[in-house]
Short mmCIF file of all heavy atoms in Angstrom, two decimals:
data_model
loop_
_atom_site.label_atom_id
_atom_site.label_comp_id
_atom_site.label_asym_id
_atom_site.label_seq_id
_atom_site.Cartn_x
_atom_site.Cartn_y
_atom_site.Cartn_z
N MET A 20 66.08 93.73 140.05
CA MET A 20 66.26 93.89 141.48
C MET A 20 67.36 92.95 141.92
O MET A 20 67.46 91.84 141.45
CB MET A 20 64.94 93.59 142.20
CG MET A 20 65.10 93.65 143.69
SD MET A 20 63.62 94.07 144.60
CE MET A 20 62.78 92.54 144.74
N GLY A 21 68.21 93.39 142.84
CA GLY A 21 69.27 92.54 143.34
C GLY A 21 70.48 92.56 142.44
O GLY A 21 70.51 93.22 141.41
N ARG A 22 71.48 91.82 142.84
CA ARG A 22 72.72 91.76 142.08
C ARG A 22 72.64 90.73 140.97
O ARG A 22 71.87 89.79 141.04
CB ARG A 22 73.88 91.39 143.00
CG ARG A 22 74.15 92.42 144.04
CD ARG A 22 75.37 92.10 144.82
NE ARG A 22 75.32 90.72 145.32
CZ ARG A 22 76.25 90.19 146.07
NH1 ARG A 22 77.30 90.87 146.40
NH2 ARG A 22 76.15 88.95 146.50
N LYS A 23 73.49 90.91 139.97
CA LYS A 23 73.61 89.90 138.93
C LYS A 23 74.29 88.68 139.54
O LYS A 23 75.11 88.81 140.43
CB LYS A 23 74.47 90.43 137.78
CG LYS A 23 73.82 91.53 137.01
CD LYS A 23 74.71 91.97 135.88
CE LYS A 23 74.06 93.10 135.11
NZ LYS A 23 74.92 93.56 134.03
N PRO A 24 73.94 87.49 139.06
CA PRO A 24 74.59 86.29 139.60
C PRO A 24 76.10 86.37 139.41
O PRO A 24 76.59 86.80 138.38
CB PRO A 24 74.00 85.15 138.77
CG PRO A 24 72.76 85.70 138.18
CD PRO A 24 72.96 87.19 138.05
N ASN A 25 76.83 85.98 140.43
CA ASN A 25 78.28 85.97 140.36
C ASN A 25 78.73 84.75 139.58
O ASN A 25 78.54 83.62 140.02
CB ASN A 25 78.86 85.94 141.78
CG ASN A 25 80.37 85.97 141.81
OD1 ASN A 25 81.03 85.81 140.79
ND2 ASN A 25 80.91 86.18 142.98
N GLU A 26 79.30 84.98 138.41
CA GLU A 26 79.70 83.85 137.57
C GLU A 26 80.82 83.04 138.19
O GLU A 26 81.00 81.88 137.84
CB GLU A 26 80.11 84.37 136.19
CG GLU A 26 78.94 84.93 135.42
CD GLU A 26 79.33 85.48 134.07
OE1 GLU A 26 80.53 85.62 133.80
OE2 GLU A 26 78.43 85.74 133.28
N ARG A 27 81.54 83.62 139.13
CA ARG A 27 82.63 82.90 139.76
C ARG A 27 82.15 82.03 140.91
O ARG A 27 82.89 81.18 141.40
CB ARG A 27 83.67 83.89 140.26
CG ARG A 27 84.27 84.70 139.11
CD ARG A 27 85.22 85.70 139.59
NE ARG A 27 86.45 85.02 139.98
CZ ARG A 27 87.46 85.59 140.55
NH1 ARG A 27 87.41 86.86 140.84
NH2 ARG A 27 88.53 84.91 140.88
N ARG A 28 80.92 82.22 141.31
CA ARG A 28 80.36 81.43 142.41
C ARG A 28 80.29 79.97 141.96
O ARG A 28 79.87 79.68 140.85
CB ARG A 28 78.96 81.95 142.73
CG ARG A 28 78.28 81.20 143.84
CD ARG A 28 76.85 81.65 144.01
NE ARG A 28 76.80 83.06 144.36
CZ ARG A 28 75.79 83.86 144.08
NH1 ARG A 28 74.75 83.42 143.43
NH2 ARG A 28 75.81 85.11 144.44
N ASN A 29 80.70 79.06 142.79
CA ASN A 29 80.63 77.67 142.39
C ASN A 29 79.20 77.17 142.44
O ASN A 29 78.30 77.87 142.91
CB ASN A 29 81.58 76.80 143.21
CG ASN A 29 81.10 76.59 144.62
OD1 ASN A 29 79.91 76.66 144.92
ND2 ASN A 29 82.00 76.30 145.51
N ARG A 30 78.98 75.98 141.96
CA ARG A 30 77.61 75.45 141.86
C ARG A 30 76.93 75.31 143.21
O ARG A 30 75.74 75.58 143.33
CB ARG A 30 77.65 74.11 141.14
CG ARG A 30 77.95 74.28 139.66
CD ARG A 30 78.12 72.98 138.93
NE ARG A 30 77.09 72.02 139.28
CZ ARG A 30 77.12 70.75 138.95
NH1 ARG A 30 78.13 70.27 138.26
NH2 ARG A 30 76.15 69.94 139.30
N TYR A 31 77.65 74.90 144.24
CA TYR A 31 77.00 74.74 145.53
C TYR A 31 76.61 76.09 146.11
O TYR A 31 75.52 76.27 146.65
CB TYR A 31 77.87 73.97 146.53
CG TYR A 31 77.13 73.85 147.84
CD1 TYR A 31 76.05 72.99 147.95
CD2 TYR A 31 77.42 74.67 148.90
CE1 TYR A 31 75.30 72.93 149.11
CE2 TYR A 31 76.69 74.62 150.07
CZ TYR A 31 75.63 73.75 150.16
OH TYR A 31 74.89 73.71 151.30
N GLY A 32 77.50 77.07 146.03
CA GLY A 32 77.19 78.41 146.52
C GLY A 32 75.98 78.99 145.80
O GLY A 32 75.12 79.62 146.42
N ALA A 33 75.91 78.75 144.50
CA ALA A 33 74.76 79.22 143.71
C ALA A 33 73.49 78.50 144.15
O ALA A 33 72.41 79.11 144.21
CB ALA A 33 75.02 79.00 142.22
N TRP A 34 73.60 77.22 144.47
CA TRP A 34 72.44 76.44 144.92
C TRP A 34 71.94 76.97 146.27
O TRP A 34 70.74 77.15 146.48
CB TRP A 34 72.79 74.97 145.00
CG TRP A 34 71.70 74.08 145.52
CD1 TRP A 34 71.73 73.35 146.67
CD2 TRP A 34 70.42 73.84 144.93
NE1 TRP A 34 70.54 72.67 146.81
CE2 TRP A 34 69.72 72.95 145.76
CE3 TRP A 34 69.80 74.30 143.76
CZ2 TRP A 34 68.43 72.50 145.48
CZ3 TRP A 34 68.51 73.84 143.48
CH2 TRP A 34 67.85 72.96 144.33
N LEU A 35 72.86 77.24 147.18
CA LEU A 35 72.50 77.78 148.49
C LEU A 35 71.81 79.14 148.32
O LEU A 35 70.78 79.40 148.93
CB LEU A 35 73.74 77.90 149.37
CG LEU A 35 73.55 78.46 150.77
CD1 LEU A 35 72.56 77.62 151.57
CD2 LEU A 35 74.89 78.54 151.49
N HIS A 36 72.36 79.98 147.46
CA HIS A 36 71.74 81.28 147.17
C HIS A 36 70.34 81.10 146.60
O HIS A 36 69.40 81.79 147.00
CB HIS A 36 72.62 82.06 146.20
CG HIS A 36 72.00 83.32 145.71
ND1 HIS A 36 72.00 84.48 146.44
CD2 HIS A 36 71.33 83.60 144.57
CE1 HIS A 36 71.35 85.42 145.78
NE2 HIS A 36 70.94 84.91 144.63
N HIS A 37 70.19 80.16 145.68
CA HIS A 37 68.89 79.89 145.07
C HIS A 37 67.86 79.46 146.11
O HIS A 37 66.74 79.99 146.13
CB HIS A 37 69.03 78.80 143.99
CG HIS A 37 67.73 78.26 143.52
ND1 HIS A 37 66.93 78.94 142.62
CD2 HIS A 37 67.07 77.12 143.83
CE1 HIS A 37 65.82 78.23 142.40
NE2 HIS A 37 65.90 77.12 143.12
N LEU A 38 68.22 78.54 146.97
CA LEU A 38 67.29 78.06 148.00
C LEU A 38 66.88 79.19 148.94
O LEU A 38 65.70 79.32 149.28
CB LEU A 38 67.92 76.92 148.81
CG LEU A 38 68.12 75.60 148.09
CD1 LEU A 38 68.91 74.63 148.97
CD2 LEU A 38 66.79 74.99 147.67
N ARG A 39 67.85 80.00 149.32
CA ARG A 39 67.55 81.12 150.22
C ARG A 39 66.64 82.13 149.53
O ARG A 39 65.63 82.58 150.10
CB ARG A 39 68.84 81.80 150.68
CG ARG A 39 68.60 83.00 151.59
CD ARG A 39 69.89 83.68 151.98
NE ARG A 39 70.71 84.13 150.88
CZ ARG A 39 70.43 85.21 150.13
NH1 ARG A 39 69.36 85.93 150.35
NH2 ARG A 39 71.26 85.57 149.17
N SER A 40 66.94 82.46 148.31
CA SER A 40 66.13 83.43 147.55
C SER A 40 64.73 82.90 147.29
O SER A 40 63.75 83.65 147.37
CB SER A 40 66.81 83.76 146.23
OG SER A 40 68.05 84.39 146.45
N GLN A 41 64.65 81.61 146.96
CA GLN A 41 63.35 80.99 146.70
C GLN A 41 62.46 81.06 147.94
O GLN A 41 61.24 81.19 147.83
CB GLN A 41 63.56 79.55 146.26
CG GLN A 41 62.32 78.87 145.76
CD GLN A 41 62.62 77.47 145.22
OE1 GLN A 41 63.54 76.80 145.67
NE2 GLN A 41 61.84 77.06 144.24
N LYS A 42 63.06 81.00 149.10
CA LYS A 42 62.32 81.08 150.36
C LYS A 42 61.97 82.54 150.70
O LYS A 42 61.20 82.79 151.61
CB LYS A 42 63.17 80.45 151.48
CG LYS A 42 62.48 80.26 152.78
CD LYS A 42 61.48 79.14 152.74
CE LYS A 42 60.91 78.91 154.13
NZ LYS A 42 59.80 78.01 154.12
N GLY A 43 62.54 83.48 149.94
CA GLY A 43 62.25 84.89 150.16
C GLY A 43 63.00 85.50 151.33
O GLY A 43 62.55 86.47 151.92
N LEU A 44 64.16 84.92 151.64
CA LEU A 44 64.94 85.38 152.78
C LEU A 44 66.19 86.12 152.32
O LEU A 44 66.85 85.72 151.37
CB LEU A 44 65.40 84.19 153.64
CG LEU A 44 64.31 83.38 154.33
CD1 LEU A 44 64.91 82.15 154.97
CD2 LEU A 44 63.58 84.23 155.37
N SER A 45 66.52 87.18 153.05
CA SER A 45 67.80 87.84 152.84
C SER A 45 68.85 87.06 153.64
O SER A 45 68.51 86.23 154.50
CB SER A 45 67.74 89.28 153.34
OG SER A 45 67.60 89.31 154.75
N GLN A 46 70.11 87.36 153.38
CA GLN A 46 71.16 86.73 154.19
C GLN A 46 71.00 87.12 155.65
O GLN A 46 71.20 86.28 156.54
CB GLN A 46 72.55 87.15 153.69
CG GLN A 46 72.92 86.54 152.37
CD GLN A 46 74.27 87.02 151.88
OE1 GLN A 46 74.83 87.98 152.39
NE2 GLN A 46 74.79 86.36 150.85
N ASP A 47 70.62 88.35 155.91
CA ASP A 47 70.44 88.81 157.28
C ASP A 47 69.31 88.04 157.97
O ASP A 47 69.45 87.63 159.13
CB ASP A 47 70.16 90.31 157.30
CG ASP A 47 70.19 90.88 158.71
OD1 ASP A 47 71.19 90.66 159.41
OD2 ASP A 47 69.21 91.55 159.09
N GLU A 48 68.21 87.82 157.26
CA GLU A 48 67.09 87.08 157.85
C GLU A 48 67.48 85.63 158.13
O GLU A 48 67.15 85.09 159.18
CB GLU A 48 65.88 87.13 156.91
CG GLU A 48 65.26 88.51 156.82
CD GLU A 48 64.27 88.65 155.69
OE1 GLU A 48 64.45 88.03 154.62
OE2 GLU A 48 63.30 89.40 155.87
N LEU A 49 68.19 85.00 157.19
CA LEU A 49 68.63 83.62 157.41
C LEU A 49 69.62 83.57 158.57
O LEU A 49 69.59 82.63 159.37
CB LEU A 49 69.26 83.04 156.13
CG LEU A 49 69.68 81.59 156.20
CD1 LEU A 49 68.52 80.66 156.58
CD2 LEU A 49 70.30 81.15 154.86
N SER A 50 70.45 84.59 158.69
CA SER A 50 71.39 84.67 159.80
C SER A 50 70.65 84.67 161.14
O SER A 50 71.04 83.95 162.06
CB SER A 50 72.22 85.95 159.66
OG SER A 50 73.00 86.17 160.80
N LYS A 51 69.60 85.46 161.22
CA LYS A 51 68.83 85.54 162.46
C LYS A 51 68.12 84.22 162.78
O LYS A 51 67.99 83.84 163.94
CB LYS A 51 67.83 86.68 162.39
CG LYS A 51 68.51 88.04 162.44
CD LYS A 51 67.55 89.18 162.23
CE LYS A 51 68.33 90.50 162.24
NZ LYS A 51 67.50 91.62 161.81
N LEU A 52 67.67 83.52 161.74
CA LEU A 52 66.98 82.24 161.95
C LEU A 52 67.94 81.13 162.40
O LEU A 52 67.54 80.21 163.11
CB LEU A 52 66.27 81.80 160.67
CG LEU A 52 65.04 82.58 160.25
CD1 LEU A 52 64.58 82.15 158.86
CD2 LEU A 52 63.93 82.37 161.26
N THR A 53 69.18 81.19 161.95
CA THR A 53 70.12 80.10 162.19
C THR A 53 71.19 80.40 163.22
O THR A 53 71.84 79.49 163.73
CB THR A 53 70.85 79.72 160.88
OG1 THR A 53 71.58 80.87 160.41
CG2 THR A 53 69.87 79.24 159.82
N GLY A 54 71.41 81.68 163.51
CA GLY A 54 72.50 82.05 164.42
C GLY A 54 73.86 82.06 163.73
O GLY A 54 74.89 82.20 164.38
N VAL A 55 73.86 81.91 162.41
CA VAL A 55 75.10 81.95 161.63
C VAL A 55 75.30 83.41 161.19
O VAL A 55 74.38 84.02 160.66
CB VAL A 55 74.99 81.04 160.38
CG1 VAL A 55 76.22 81.18 159.50
CG2 VAL A 55 74.79 79.59 160.81
N PRO A 56 76.48 83.98 161.42
CA PRO A 56 76.70 85.37 161.02
C PRO A 56 76.43 85.60 159.52
O PRO A 56 76.74 84.74 158.69
CB PRO A 56 78.18 85.62 161.34
CG PRO A 56 78.51 84.61 162.39
CD PRO A 56 77.66 83.40 162.07
N GLN A 57 75.87 86.76 159.20
CA GLN A 57 75.55 87.08 157.81
C GLN A 57 76.80 87.03 156.94
O GLN A 57 76.75 86.56 155.81
CB GLN A 57 74.89 88.47 157.73
CG GLN A 57 74.51 88.92 156.33
CD GLN A 57 75.64 89.57 155.58
OE1 GLN A 57 76.52 90.21 156.17
NE2 GLN A 57 75.65 89.40 154.27
N SER A 58 77.92 87.49 157.46
CA SER A 58 79.16 87.47 156.68
C SER A 58 79.58 86.04 156.34
O SER A 58 80.14 85.78 155.27
CB SER A 58 80.28 88.19 157.42
OG SER A 58 80.52 87.57 158.67
N THR A 59 79.30 85.11 157.23
CA THR A 59 79.61 83.70 156.97
C THR A 59 78.70 83.15 155.88
O THR A 59 79.16 82.44 154.98
CB THR A 59 79.47 82.87 158.27
OG1 THR A 59 80.36 83.40 159.25
CG2 THR A 59 79.78 81.41 158.03
N LEU A 60 77.41 83.50 155.93
CA LEU A 60 76.49 83.07 154.88
C LEU A 60 76.93 83.63 153.53
O LEU A 60 76.90 82.91 152.52
CB LEU A 60 75.06 83.51 155.20
CG LEU A 60 74.41 82.84 156.39
CD1 LEU A 60 73.11 83.54 156.75
CD2 LEU A 60 74.17 81.37 156.12
N ALA A 61 77.34 84.88 153.49
CA ALA A 61 77.81 85.49 152.24
C ALA A 61 79.03 84.74 151.72
O ALA A 61 79.13 84.47 150.51
CB ALA A 61 78.13 86.96 152.46
N TYR A 62 79.94 84.40 152.61
CA TYR A 62 81.15 83.65 152.22
C TYR A 62 80.78 82.29 151.64
O TYR A 62 81.30 81.88 150.60
CB TYR A 62 82.07 83.50 153.43
CG TYR A 62 83.27 82.63 153.17
CD1 TYR A 62 84.36 83.14 152.47
CD2 TYR A 62 83.33 81.32 153.62
CE1 TYR A 62 85.48 82.36 152.22
CE2 TYR A 62 84.44 80.53 153.38
CZ TYR A 62 85.51 81.04 152.68
OH TYR A 62 86.61 80.27 152.43
N TRP A 63 79.85 81.59 152.28
CA TRP A 63 79.44 80.27 151.79
C TRP A 63 78.79 80.37 150.42
O TRP A 63 79.02 79.53 149.57
CB TRP A 63 78.48 79.61 152.76
CG TRP A 63 79.13 79.16 154.03
CD1 TRP A 63 80.47 78.91 154.25
CD2 TRP A 63 78.48 78.90 155.27
NE1 TRP A 63 80.67 78.51 155.54
CE2 TRP A 63 79.47 78.49 156.19
CE3 TRP A 63 77.17 78.97 155.69
CZ2 TRP A 63 79.18 78.16 157.51
CZ3 TRP A 63 76.88 78.64 157.00
CH2 TRP A 63 77.88 78.23 157.89
N GLU A 64 77.96 81.40 150.22
CA GLU A 64 77.32 81.56 148.92
C GLU A 64 78.35 81.90 147.84
O GLU A 64 78.19 81.52 146.69
CB GLU A 64 76.23 82.63 148.96
CG GLU A 64 74.99 82.16 149.69
CD GLU A 64 73.84 83.14 149.63
OE1 GLU A 64 73.92 84.14 148.88
OE2 GLU A 64 72.84 82.91 150.34
N LYS A 65 79.39 82.61 148.22
CA LYS A 65 80.43 82.97 147.26
C LYS A 65 81.35 81.80 146.94
O LYS A 65 81.72 81.58 145.80
CB LYS A 65 81.25 84.14 147.80
CG LYS A 65 82.31 84.63 146.86
CD LYS A 65 83.02 85.83 147.45
CE LYS A 65 84.11 86.30 146.50
NZ LYS A 65 84.84 87.43 147.04
N THR A 66 81.69 81.02 147.97
CA THR A 66 82.69 79.96 147.80
C THR A 66 82.11 78.56 147.76
O THR A 66 82.75 77.64 147.27
CB THR A 66 83.72 80.00 148.94
OG1 THR A 66 83.06 79.67 150.17
CG2 THR A 66 84.38 81.36 149.05
N GLY A 67 80.91 78.38 148.34
CA GLY A 67 80.32 77.05 148.43
C GLY A 67 80.91 76.19 149.53
O GLY A 67 80.66 75.00 149.58
N LYS A 68 81.67 76.79 150.42
CA LYS A 68 82.35 76.03 151.47
C LYS A 68 81.54 76.04 152.76
O LYS A 68 81.88 76.72 153.72
CB LYS A 68 83.75 76.60 151.71
CG LYS A 68 84.64 76.47 150.51
CD LYS A 68 86.00 77.03 150.78
CE LYS A 68 86.86 76.87 149.54
NZ LYS A 68 88.19 77.44 149.75
N LEU A 69 80.48 75.28 152.79
CA LEU A 69 79.62 75.15 153.97
C LEU A 69 80.18 74.04 154.85
O LEU A 69 80.48 72.95 154.36
CB LEU A 69 78.20 74.80 153.53
CG LEU A 69 77.17 74.54 154.60
CD1 LEU A 69 76.95 75.79 155.43
CD2 LEU A 69 75.86 74.10 153.97
N THR A 70 80.34 74.33 156.13
CA THR A 70 80.90 73.33 157.04
C THR A 70 80.11 73.24 158.32
O THR A 70 79.38 74.15 158.68
CB THR A 70 82.37 73.67 157.39
OG1 THR A 70 82.40 74.94 158.02
CG2 THR A 70 83.26 73.67 156.18
N GLY A 71 80.25 72.13 158.99
CA GLY A 71 79.64 71.93 160.30
C GLY A 71 78.28 71.28 160.23
O GLY A 71 77.34 71.83 159.68
N ARG A 72 78.19 70.10 160.81
CA ARG A 72 76.95 69.32 160.79
C ARG A 72 75.78 70.09 161.39
O ARG A 72 74.69 70.14 160.83
CB ARG A 72 77.18 68.01 161.53
CG ARG A 72 75.98 67.12 161.54
CD ARG A 72 76.32 65.79 162.19
NE ARG A 72 75.16 64.92 162.13
CZ ARG A 72 74.66 64.30 163.17
NH1 ARG A 72 75.23 64.41 164.34
NH2 ARG A 72 73.61 63.54 163.03
N GLU A 73 76.00 70.68 162.56
CA GLU A 73 74.93 71.42 163.25
C GLU A 73 74.46 72.60 162.40
O GLU A 73 73.26 72.89 162.33
CB GLU A 73 75.41 71.91 164.61
CG GLU A 73 75.70 70.80 165.59
CD GLU A 73 74.47 69.95 165.90
OE1 GLU A 73 73.38 70.52 166.06
OE2 GLU A 73 74.60 68.72 165.99
N THR A 74 75.40 73.27 161.76
CA THR A 74 75.06 74.41 160.91
C THR A 74 74.25 73.96 159.70
O THR A 74 73.27 74.61 159.33
CB THR A 74 76.34 75.13 160.45
OG1 THR A 74 77.06 75.54 161.60
CG2 THR A 74 76.02 76.33 159.59
N ILE A 75 74.64 72.87 159.09
CA ILE A 75 73.91 72.34 157.94
C ILE A 75 72.47 72.01 158.34
O ILE A 75 71.53 72.32 157.61
CB ILE A 75 74.64 71.11 157.36
CG1 ILE A 75 75.95 71.56 156.71
CG2 ILE A 75 73.76 70.37 156.35
CD1 ILE A 75 76.89 70.44 156.33
N ILE A 76 72.31 71.41 159.49
CA ILE A 76 70.96 71.07 159.98
C ILE A 76 70.14 72.34 160.19
O ILE A 76 68.98 72.42 159.79
CB ILE A 76 71.05 70.24 161.28
CG1 ILE A 76 71.64 68.86 160.97
CG2 ILE A 76 69.69 70.12 161.94
CD1 ILE A 76 72.04 68.06 162.20
N LYS A 77 70.73 73.37 160.81
CA LYS A 77 70.02 74.62 161.06
C LYS A 77 69.59 75.29 159.75
O LYS A 77 68.47 75.79 159.64
CB LYS A 77 70.91 75.59 161.85
CG LYS A 77 71.10 75.22 163.29
CD LYS A 77 72.02 76.24 163.95
CE LYS A 77 72.35 75.85 165.37
NZ LYS A 77 73.27 76.83 166.00
N ILE A 78 70.48 75.31 158.79
CA ILE A 78 70.17 75.95 157.51
C ILE A 78 69.08 75.18 156.77
O ILE A 78 68.15 75.78 156.23
CB ILE A 78 71.44 76.12 156.65
CG1 ILE A 78 72.35 77.17 157.32
CG2 ILE A 78 71.09 76.53 155.23
CD1 ILE A 78 73.68 77.33 156.66
N ALA A 79 69.17 73.86 156.77
CA ALA A 79 68.15 73.05 156.11
C ALA A 79 66.78 73.30 156.73
O ALA A 79 65.78 73.48 156.02
CB ALA A 79 68.51 71.57 156.18
N LYS A 80 66.72 73.35 158.05
CA LYS A 80 65.44 73.62 158.74
C LYS A 80 64.91 75.00 158.40
O LYS A 80 63.73 75.17 158.13
CB LYS A 80 65.60 73.46 160.25
CG LYS A 80 65.70 72.02 160.69
CD LYS A 80 65.82 71.92 162.20
CE LYS A 80 65.94 70.46 162.62
NZ LYS A 80 66.07 70.31 164.07
N ALA A 81 65.78 76.00 158.43
CA ALA A 81 65.36 77.38 158.15
C ALA A 81 64.86 77.53 156.71
O ALA A 81 63.94 78.30 156.45
CB ALA A 81 66.51 78.35 158.41
N LEU A 82 65.45 76.77 155.79
CA LEU A 82 65.04 76.85 154.39
C LEU A 82 63.93 75.85 154.06
O LEU A 82 63.47 75.80 152.92
CB LEU A 82 66.25 76.62 153.47
CG LEU A 82 67.35 77.67 153.56
CD1 LEU A 82 68.53 77.29 152.69
CD2 LEU A 82 66.82 79.05 153.18
N ASP A 83 63.55 75.06 155.05
CA ASP A 83 62.49 74.06 154.90
C ASP A 83 62.79 73.07 153.77
O ASP A 83 61.94 72.80 152.91
CB ASP A 83 61.14 74.75 154.67
CG ASP A 83 59.96 73.81 154.86
OD1 ASP A 83 60.10 72.86 155.68
OD2 ASP A 83 58.93 74.02 154.21
N VAL A 84 64.04 72.58 153.78
CA VAL A 84 64.47 71.56 152.81
C VAL A 84 65.16 70.44 153.58
O VAL A 84 65.61 70.63 154.71
CB VAL A 84 65.43 72.12 151.74
CG1 VAL A 84 64.75 73.18 150.89
CG2 VAL A 84 66.71 72.67 152.35
N SER A 85 65.25 69.29 152.96
CA SER A 85 65.98 68.19 153.59
C SER A 85 67.48 68.47 153.50
O SER A 85 67.93 69.27 152.66
CB SER A 85 65.67 66.86 152.88
OG SER A 85 66.20 66.88 151.57
N ILE A 86 68.22 67.80 154.34
CA ILE A 86 69.68 67.93 154.28
C ILE A 86 70.19 67.46 152.92
O ILE A 86 71.07 68.07 152.33
CB ILE A 86 70.34 67.15 155.44
CG1 ILE A 86 69.99 67.82 156.76
CG2 ILE A 86 71.86 67.08 155.26
CD1 ILE A 86 70.35 67.03 157.99
N GLU A 87 69.59 66.40 152.41
CA GLU A 87 69.97 65.87 151.11
C GLU A 87 69.76 66.92 150.02
O GLU A 87 70.60 67.10 149.14
CB GLU A 87 69.20 64.60 150.78
CG GLU A 87 69.55 63.42 151.64
CD GLU A 87 68.87 63.43 153.03
OE1 GLU A 87 67.96 64.26 153.28
OE2 GLU A 87 69.25 62.60 153.86
N GLU A 88 68.61 67.60 150.07
CA GLU A 88 68.34 68.63 149.06
C GLU A 88 69.30 69.81 149.21
O GLU A 88 69.80 70.35 148.22
CB GLU A 88 66.90 69.12 149.14
CG GLU A 88 66.56 70.13 148.06
CD GLU A 88 65.10 70.55 148.06
OE1 GLU A 88 64.33 70.08 148.93
OE2 GLU A 88 64.75 71.35 147.19
N LEU A 89 69.58 70.20 150.45
CA LEU A 89 70.50 71.31 150.68
C LEU A 89 71.88 70.99 150.13
O LEU A 89 72.52 71.85 149.55
CB LEU A 89 70.60 71.59 152.19
CG LEU A 89 71.60 72.67 152.60
CD1 LEU A 89 71.19 74.04 152.04
CD2 LEU A 89 71.71 72.72 154.12
N LEU A 90 72.33 69.76 150.29
CA LEU A 90 73.69 69.40 149.90
C LEU A 90 73.84 68.96 148.45
O LEU A 90 74.95 68.75 147.99
CB LEU A 90 74.24 68.32 150.83
CG LEU A 90 74.36 68.74 152.30
CD1 LEU A 90 74.87 67.58 153.13
CD2 LEU A 90 75.25 69.96 152.46
N ARG A 91 72.74 68.84 147.75
CA ARG A 91 72.85 68.40 146.35
C ARG A 91 73.47 69.49 145.50
O ARG A 91 73.34 70.67 145.78
CB ARG A 91 71.52 67.99 145.79
CG ARG A 91 70.77 69.08 145.09
CD ARG A 91 69.58 68.51 144.31
NE ARG A 91 68.76 69.56 143.82
CZ ARG A 91 68.92 70.13 142.62
NH1 ARG A 91 69.89 69.74 141.83
NH2 ARG A 91 68.13 71.10 142.23
N VAL A 92 74.10 69.08 144.44
CA VAL A 92 74.70 70.05 143.50
C VAL A 92 74.14 69.80 142.13
O VAL A 92 73.94 68.69 141.73
CB VAL A 92 76.24 69.90 143.48
CG1 VAL A 92 76.84 70.83 142.46
CG2 VAL A 92 76.81 70.21 144.85
#
């Protein structure tokens, strides 16, 4: 079920994808919880380029992880 892991995805993007999947959330569901567009979440998972303090806080809360855990690689 789902797509094969993208081997080109960097480690942080893969970690973000893992945390989201582990929580049982789709990108669309996480988008609705955080107010971050789904296309932006997809880009971050592909590239690992997550930016913005407020956004990081929202994503950490939605995934029920600490900021430190979210940002670890």
Side-chain angles (χ1 to χ4, degrees):
M20 176 152 83
R22 295 186 309 182
K23 291 181 180 179
N25 182 348
E26 292 179 349
R27 299 177 74 186
R28 180 186 298 153
N29 73 25
R30 289 175 45 191
Y31 180 73
W34 177 244
L35 180 58
H36 173 81
H37 168 78
L38 290 173
R39 178 182 57 75
S40 297
Q41 189 175 31
K42 189 73 175 171
L44 296 172
S45 67
Q46 288 177 347
D47 190 53
E48 291 167 326
L49 184 57
S50 172
K51 289 174 183 170
L52 289 172
T53 61
V55 175
Q57 180 275 329
S58 59
T59 301
L60 292 170
Y62 175 77
W63 289 339
E64 286 186 8
K65 183 177 179 181
T66 66
K68 296 180 180 179
L69 176 64
T70 60
R72 181 175 183 232
E73 294 298 319
T74 302
I75 291 169
I76 292 168
K77 287 179 185 179
I78 291 174
K80 285 182 181 179
L82 296 176
D83 195 30
V84 297
S85 68
I86 293 169
E87 292 80 10
E88 184 176 1
L89 176 64
L90 298 178
R91 93 168 172 91
V92 176

